[in-house]
């Protein structure tokens, strides 16, 4: 009986240290299992795709985007994997032949089929957004614009993707989605850092979008977003007819009207300081007035002899005439009686802002140097320019003096940038491999990929998780060894006791 009692007392499982260690080991295992379950929730590993067609006034581009399926709500995860430039002009140029608009997309859409894995085709959304060219066509001939949209819709539905619509987007959407794109790509949206304003220059319209420091006095210039848990109150404006092709027509029409008033020769000679000395090109009056951007004038037909004389400061004076700055019903205006708060913060200037300033090698100079270089460029004889750039299309080449001067005048006299904040403007084409423009923001919005609230994050970052698991495994292993040793010692002692 005495012996039996001694065995009971010395049973090692009854020692508090051993009980303590055992509880710790079990607790440790439970914690490890729980963490690995939370951390390793099954996640689909594959990529998803989206296609957006930018049907601009001068041309159409097809953008293909890709993102990891499990990370679609994180900022900066969507990237552009391919672009295809549709051959020919923009879809609005098919007003007299709407079927041609749909057909023009074929080559790029076939390319899209090859770029996106076949098993993803049916779930890949396709959106087409048309901008200022189609806005103008709609103003001129609504039936023609509907036919063009019906034609591209019919064409896009023949592909195995998930067709989501073809529509004319508003100027506010164009500005706001451009702003979302640049800030999404720069990963500014879920951080307390400042955002980047967006400046977009197309062929037929131009947009300015930024977060101002002052109240927005006109309702149609204000847009509110809640993205990743932050509220954004944006100023945006789109100037229809102030893209660089329409602005050239506006400017030429003014020169034509005064030349016509001064002398009624046929052809009418229009001397233009925005074109190089020695440049001489024959145009029809109709080619300048073929747009609803211009008021009808009494010169409706005839031939123009367009003669350049390359004088930058006269060119700038002539361009100023297309901006009406005489009246403003608000505390501040840009031009044409449009409210605009003072520009604030850094800006990204893309599309034709970039094409032109990049060609002229003016993307990183001060305003004063930019003017000097442009003055020199405009006064260079046309013959020399053609010799210097044999590979550039003559139509593009002839217009860079006008376009550069237009950009400078729009930014300085129109939007009120100064020599102090000139270098806050970055002329850029791409951000981390994706084009700056409205298309990415448009897709992110329509696929709900930017949540209003910040998405849930992992329990801990991957590196932290791995360190934690290694440390904890070692810890439990040591505890286990200690427990074994202690158990063996206790058993021995107990056995000795029995003997
Ligand atoms: N390498 C290039 C490409 C385009 N352009 C010019 O840039 C303008 C078009 O810019 P873009 O942003 O493509 O305009 P769209 O989107 O077609 O027009 P919008 O946005 O007004 O609808 C046109 O004048 C075109 O001639 C250029 O000078 N150099
Ligand atoms: Ca555009």
């Amino acid at each position: 009986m005495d012996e039996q009692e001694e065995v009971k007392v010395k049973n090692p499982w009854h020692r508090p240290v051993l009980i303590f260690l055992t509880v710790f080991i079990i607790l440790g295992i439970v914690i490890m299992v729980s963490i690995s379950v939370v951390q390793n929730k099954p996640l689909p590993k594959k990529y998803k795709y989206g296609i957006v067609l930018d049907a601009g006034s001068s041309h159409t581009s097809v953008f293909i985007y890709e993102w990891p399926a499990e990370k679609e709500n994180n900022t900066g995860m969507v990237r552009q994997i391919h672009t295809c430039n549709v051959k020919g002009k923009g879809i609005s140029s098919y007003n007299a032949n709407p079927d041609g608009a749909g057909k023009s997309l074929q080559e790029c859409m076939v390319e899209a089929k090859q770029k996106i894995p076949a098993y993803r085709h049916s779930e890949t959304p396709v959106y087409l957004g048309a901008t200022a060219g189609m806005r103008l066509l709609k103003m001129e001939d609504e039936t023609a614009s509907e036919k063009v949209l019906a034609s591209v819709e019919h064409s896009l539905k023949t592909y195995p993707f998930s067709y989501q619509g073809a529509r004319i987007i508003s100027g506010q959407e164009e500005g706001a989605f451009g702003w979302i794109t640049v800030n999404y790509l720069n990963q500014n949206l879920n951080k307390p850092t400042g955002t980047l304003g967006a400046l977009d220059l197309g062929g037929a319209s131009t947009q300015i979008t930024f977060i101002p420091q002052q109240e927005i006095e006109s309702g149609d210039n204000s847009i509110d977003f809640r993205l990743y848990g932050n509220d954004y109150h944006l100023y945006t404006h789109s100037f229809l007819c102030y893209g660089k092709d329409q602005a050239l027509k506006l400017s030429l029409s003014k020169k034509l009207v005064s030349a016509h008033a001064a002398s009624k020769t046929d052809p009418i000679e229009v001397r233009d300081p925005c074109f190089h000395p020695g440049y001489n090109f024959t145009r029809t009056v109709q080619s300048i007035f073929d747009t609803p951007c211009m008021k009808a004038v009494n010169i409706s037909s005839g031939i123009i002899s367009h003669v350049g004389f390359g004088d930058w400061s006269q060119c700038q004076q002539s361009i100023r005439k297309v901006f009406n700055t005489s009246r403003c019903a608000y505390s501040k205006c840009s031009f044409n009686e449009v409210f605009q708060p003072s520009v604030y913060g850094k800006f990204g200037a893309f599309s034709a802002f970039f094409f032109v300033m990049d060609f002229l090698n003016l993307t990183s100079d001060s305003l004063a140097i930019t003017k000097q270089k442009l003055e020199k460029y405009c006064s260079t004889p046309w013959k020399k320019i053609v010799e210097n750039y044999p590979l550039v299309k003559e139509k593009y080449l002839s217009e860079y003096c006008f376009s550069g001067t237009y950009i400078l005048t729009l930014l300085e006299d129109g939007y009120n940038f100064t020599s102090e904040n000139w270098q806050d403007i970055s002329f850029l084409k791409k951000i981390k491999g994706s084009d700056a423009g409205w298309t990415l923001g448009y897709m992110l919005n329509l696929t709900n990929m930017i949540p209003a609230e910040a998405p849930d994050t992992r329990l801990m970052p991957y590196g932290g998780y791995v360190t934690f698991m290694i440390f904890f495994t070692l810890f439990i292993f040591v505890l286990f060894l200690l427990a074994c040793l202690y158990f063996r010692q206790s058993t021995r002692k107990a056995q000795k006791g029995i003997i």
Side-chain angles (χ1 to χ4, degrees):
M1 188 66 186
D2 278 350
E3 269 179 22
Q4 264 181 2
E5 270 190 352
E6 208 175 329
V7 171
K8 233 186 209 170
V9 170
K10 297 207 170 161
N11 184 338
W13 283 111
H14 290 185
R15 301 199 179 237
V17 180
L18 207 60
I19 293 170
F20 190 70
L21 284 174
T22 312
V23 167
F24 252 94
I25 290 170
I26 292 168
L27 202 70
I29 291 171
V30 169
I31 291 174
M32 263 179 76
V33 170
S34 319
I35 287 185
S36 57
V37 167
V38 176
Q39 182 78 21
N40 297 309
K41 269 186 295 183
L43 300 170
K45 276 276 177 288
K46 299 283 168 9
Y47 285 93
K48 287 189 177 180
Y49 302 85
I51 304 172
V52 186
L53 287 93
D54 174 355
S57 63
S58 67
H59 81 292
T60 301
S61 289
V62 179
F63 294 92
I64 304 179
Y65 298 105
E66 175 194 81
W67 60 94
E70 78 275 18
K71 286 182 178 165
E72 60 187 3
N73 287 344
N74 292 10
T75 182
M77 294 314 294
V78 179
R79 63 187 190 104
Q80 182 182 311
I81 55 161
H82 186 68
T83 52
C84 177
N85 290 323
V86 169
K87 284 200 189 112
K89 293 186 177 176
I91 58 168
S92 57
S93 69
Y94 292 91
N95 56 335
N97 160 33
D99 286 352
K103 287 201 189 100
S104 72
L105 310 178
Q106 262 172 13
E107 256 178 65
C108 283
M109 291 308 290
V110 168
E111 230 178 85
K113 254 170 56 178
Q114 290 156 358
K115 294 283 168 191
I116 298 172
Y119 78 100
R120 286 289 191 202
H121 284 174
S122 65
E123 58 179 275
T124 298
V126 178
Y127 305 91
L128 180 142
T131 51
M134 286 296 284
R135 277 178 220 138
L136 291 175
L137 180 59
K138 192 177 174 187
M139 283 164 65
E140 226 181 352
D141 183 348
E142 191 158 353
T143 317
S145 79
E146 280 163 5
K147 282 187 182 159
V148 168
L149 284 178
S151 159
V152 293
E153 166 158 4
H154 176 76
S155 166
L156 292 176
K157 279 183 171 169
T158 62
Y159 297 94
F161 307 114
S162 166
Y163 173 74
Q164 299 291 314
R167 54 181 283 265
I168 301 173
I169 65 165
S170 70
Q172 281 100 324
E173 287 178 286
E174 198 177 355
F177 292 132
W179 182 91
I180 289 187
T181 300
V182 294
N183 286 289
Y184 174 87
L185 291 173
N186 276 317
Q187 295 186 302
N188 291 336
L189 296 177
N190 56 355
K191 286 189 212 131
T193 53
T195 54
L196 198 64
L199 298 166
D200 184 353
L201 177 63
S205 78
T206 187
Q207 289 71 238
I208 174 167
T209 311
F210 62 101
I211 296 182
Q213 281 291 78
Q214 67 186 82
E215 192 203 334
I216 300 175
E217 295 169 24
S218 60
D220 45 348
N221 291 127
S222 136
I223 286 205
D224 292 300
F225 287 117
R226 185 166 174 82
L227 312 170
Y228 299 109
N230 299 313
D231 288 312
Y232 297 98
H233 187 49
L234 298 187
Y235 167 84
T236 187
H237 190 81
S238 173
F239 288 93
L240 188 60
C241 300
Y242 285 79
K244 79 178 197 52
D245 301 333
Q246 291 298 324
L248 176 61
K249 291 188 184 201
L250 282 176
S251 168
L252 262 176
S253 75
K254 290 193 188 296
K255 288 164 193 163
L256 172 62
V257 170
S258 31
H260 185 255
S263 102
K264 299 216 162 37
T265 55
D266 192 25
I268 307 164
E269 189 182 86
V270 176
R271 286 178 33 84
D272 195 337
C274 302
F275 283 71
H276 298 275
Y279 174 86
N280 190 343
F281 195 83
T282 305
R283 299 173 192 274
T284 61
V285 171
Q286 161 66 14
S287 71
I288 299 174
F289 287 97
D290 62 350
T291 150
C293 291
M294 232 89 70
K295 279 190 231 130
V297 286
N298 59 352
I299 331 156
S300 55
S301 63
I303 304 285
I304 302 165
S305 168
H306 189 201
V307 178
F309 66 97
D311 182 317
W312 180 76
S313 77
Q314 284 192 50
C315 173
Q316 187 165 44
Q317 274 172 33
S318 72
I319 288 174
R320 283 191 180 124
K321 291 188 184 141
V322 305
F323 301 114
N324 182 355
T325 49
S326 59
R327 277 155 50 117
C328 178
Y330 305 96
S331 65
K332 279 190 178 100
C333 284
S334 45
F335 55 95
N336 297 3
E337 299 181 54
V338 173
F339 167 72
Q340 189 202 290
S342 305
V343 285
Y344 177 77
K346 303 231 177 264
F347 283 78
F350 43 88
S351 44
F353 278 119
F354 176 82
F355 302 143
V356 172
M357 298 305 263
D358 180 58
F359 172 85
L360 295 168
N361 204 5
L362 297 174
T363 53
S364 50
D365 293 307
S366 68
L367 184 56
I369 302 282
T370 303
K371 284 180 183 172
Q372 275 174 28
K373 283 193 179 172
L374 202 50
E375 187 164 6
K376 190 163 171 242
Y377 178 77
C378 287
S379 64
T380 310
W382 174 235
K383 203 167 151 265
K384 191 106 199 289
I385 296 283
V386 178
E387 268 169 34
N388 290 353
Y389 305 96
L391 299 177
V392 182
K393 270 211 291 203
E394 282 200 12
K395 186 196 157 345
Y396 280 167
L397 200 54
S398 66
E399 292 178 5
Y400 282 118
C401 164
F402 168 83
S403 303
T405 315
Y406 177 66
I407 287 173
L408 235 70
T409 316
L410 173 65
L411 294 174
E412 200 182 8
D413 298 76
Y415 297 157
N416 303 317
F417 280 93
T418 60
S419 49
E420 276 82 60
N421 57 19
W422 182 258
Q423 263 148 344
D424 288 339
I425 307 171
S426 307
F427 295 93
L428 50 89
K429 176 168 166 58
K430 291 186 181 232
I431 301 170
K432 297 175 190 160
S434 300
D435 277 74
W438 59 267
T439 50
L440 175 55
Y442 187 66
M443 185 190 75
L444 294 172
N445 182 55
L446 290 176
T447 51
N448 290 320
M449 258 193 283
I450 303 192
E453 302 305 328
D456 292 336
T457 47
R458 294 244 181 239
L459 186 62
M460 55 180 86
Y462 185 71
Y465 164 73
V466 170
T467 317
F468 174 86
M469 291 313 258
I470 292 171
F471 176 77
F472 226 75
T473 310
L474 283 173
F475 181 65
I476 289 174
F477 185 66
V478 169
L479 284 183
F480 183 73
L481 281 180
L482 281 174
C484 284
L485 274 171
Y486 191 78
F487 185 80
R488 268 180 59 189
Q489 264 182 11
S490 307
T491 323
R492 271 196 200 140
K493 272 188 193 159
Q495 278 171 352
K496 273 185 193 160
I498 294 168
I499 293 160

